[in-house]
Amino acid sequence: MLNIDNISFSYNRRPTIKQLNFSVEKGKVLAVIGESGCGKSTLLKLIYGMYDLDAGDISFAEKPILGPKYNLIPGEDYIKYLAQDFDLMPYVTVAENVGKFLSNANKANKNARIGELLELVEMNDFAHVKAQHLSGGQMQRVAIARVFALEPKVLLLDEPFSHIDNFRRKTLSRKLFAWLKEKKITCVVATHDSTDVLSFADEVLIMKEGAIVESGDPRAVYKCPVNKYVASFFGDVNEIPGHYFEKDIALDSTVLVYPHQLQVVNDGKLRVVVKHSYFRGSYYLIEAFYDDGLLFFEHQSELSENSIFHLALKNGL
């Protein structure tokens, strides 16, 4: 188990990580999300051992993970860290980059392993291309293959699919997270993509200004967010006064509602005027005004600007 025990860290005496406590079971995937600058990347670097803690402890399987005061070369052999800058060698080939940390004792086994990893990230055709000639997305896929090469016990991924084309990243993310599960590799992934969180993570940790705002099962956090900040990481969200709804909701409360949770009804307290319809493929996202501001809801067809409708919560919500 990976344990983070009451850790704190500062950059130039400015607190960046504030008393974080959590653990990740062996073979589980923890997604860390939060606004830019909230401390996600710093947290991964601390787990890797790149910095010394101000307070607290980090350990894996009851073995402490220590920083540069104790280790001349930061990091542990069983931990691999994929940074956002990829750290590839530009003047050698893709295959040589992937095989950098593999033993040369058995060339056949090494080449087979490199081929397996390149197939995993769909880069077989670029094996003999120098890294400097690759696109950003291709470099990121090579970097992913390289950190997988020695099958680490702990894998730290910092925005691992940020440069990869959307049509490829969905397939790639499914393959990679399935591979992690199969190998029982403990993974902490910092991401902005709610798809990664909801589809692949066993736990989610939401950060703000170096502290944990919410954590738990992704589905539970999605369904019952503690505030709008948390809900916003899963898509558009409306903050609507409770008196607009007929259900057992306190009149002075505020309700967090995702667009898909609203439906058009014949009559109701929530009267809206359509501002714009955004085509989203299988539905339209409707932007509309109501007495207290702006909101969004989903509809199967495009709605005319300035048309008037009434909304209510869908049954079962």
Side-chain angles (χ1 to χ4, degrees):
M1 180 179 289
L2 176 65
N3 280 304
I4 282 70
D5 184 14
N6 201 34
I7 66 169
S8 296
F9 175 75
S10 302
Y11 275 128
N12 298 322
R13 299 184 180 179
R14 180 180 178 180
T16 306
I17 297 295
K18 305 170 184 176
Q19 298 179 319
L20 299 193
N21 277 291
F22 63 91
S23 60
V24 189
E25 294 182 16
K26 176 180 171 59
K28 299 295 185 181
V29 175
L30 170 70
V32 182
I33 58 177
E35 61 191 353
S36 297
C38 70
K40 301 188 300 295
S41 296
T42 301
L43 174 59
L44 295 190
K45 292 173 182 177
L46 289 169
I47 296 173
Y48 188 56
M50 291 182 68
Y51 304 136
D52 294 303
L53 296 168
D54 293 345
D57 299 285
I58 301 175
S59 63
F60 180 74
E62 301 184 357
K63 178 183 177 182
I65 298 173
L66 304 173
K69 285 183 180 177
Y70 304 91
N71 294 324
L72 182 62
I73 301 176
E76 301 286 346
D77 290 341
Y78 60 85
I79 302 177
K80 293 300 176 187
Y81 169 54
L82 175 62
Q84 293 189 46
D85 61 5
F86 313 146
D87 192 30
L88 298 180
M89 299 178 289
Y91 303 115
V92 302
T93 67
V94 165
E96 289 170 318
N97 268 285
V98 173
K100 178 180 178 181
F101 301 111
L102 296 175
S103 171
N104 290 313
N106 188 317
K107 284 286 189 179
N109 287 347
K110 179 177 180 177
N111 290 335
R113 178 63 176 157
I114 291 171
E116 175 189 352
L117 292 165
L118 291 180
E119 182 177 356
L120 181 69
V121 298
E122 301 176 2
M123 285 293 290
N124 309 65
D125 295 339
F126 296 87
H128 303 296
V129 176
K130 290 184 178 180
Q132 64 178 330
H133 300 306
L134 301 177
S135 68
Q138 291 169 335
M139 288 183 182
Q140 192 162 39
R141 285 149 62 194
V142 175
I144 291 171
R146 191 172 69 176
V147 298
F148 282 2
L150 293 176
E151 292 190 12
K153 294 180 181 178
V154 178
L155 184 60
L156 309 172
L157 303 174
D158 195 352
E159 300 289 351
F161 310 114
S162 59
H163 294 267
I164 297 172
D165 298 331
N166 191 53
F167 77 93
R168 178 172 277 112
R169 74 176 307 282
K170 293 178 180 178
T171 301
L172 186 59
S173 58
R174 284 193 292 267
K175 290 169 64 176
L176 295 187
F177 283 109
W179 186 86
L180 290 174
K181 289 292 186 182
E182 178 187 345
K183 301 294 183 180
K184 293 182 170 53
I185 295 172
T186 304
C187 178
V188 181
V189 52
T191 180
H192 282 97
D193 194 320
S194 62
T195 301
D196 293 339
V197 178
L198 295 173
S199 299
F200 309 115
D202 299 294
E203 296 280 331
V204 61
L205 185 154
I206 300 168
M207 294 181 64
K208 184 176 184 179
E209 297 178 352
I212 296 174
V213 177
E214 177 69 302
S215 63
D217 179 276
R219 291 165 293 186
V221 173
Y222 170 79
K223 291 177 181 178
C224 299
V226 294
N227 54 39
K228 189 174 182 179
Y229 176 80
V230 171
S232 67
F233 291 105
F234 300 102
D236 296 301
V237 63
N238 305 299
E239 197 170 24
I240 302 174
H243 64 78
Y244 283 101
F245 301 108
E246 305 287 347
K247 301 203 172 202
D248 298 328
I249 298 172
L251 296 180
D252 60 350
S253 67
T254 299
V255 184
L256 295 174
V257 184
Y258 296 110
H260 73 270
Q261 294 177 314
L262 292 169
Q263 64 180 347
V264 173
V265 294
N266 292 329
D267 192 21
K269 296 180 180 179
L270 185 53
R271 177 182 179 274
V272 301
V273 179
V274 173
K275 178 184 178 184
H276 195 83
S277 297
Y278 301 95
F279 182 56
R280 291 292 180 87
S282 60
Y283 66 93
Y284 284 83
L285 180 68
I286 311 298
E287 183 179 13
F289 292 108
Y290 73 115
D291 287 346
D292 283 295
L294 195 67
L295 61 72
F296 295 88
F297 65 98
E298 292 182 8
H299 199 264
Q300 290 304 113
S301 58
E302 184 176 9
L303 300 180
S304 301
E305 185 178 354
N306 295 322
S307 56
I308 298 172
F309 294 90
H310 293 86
L311 303 178
L313 291 173
K314 286 185 177 179
N315 292 333
L317 300 176

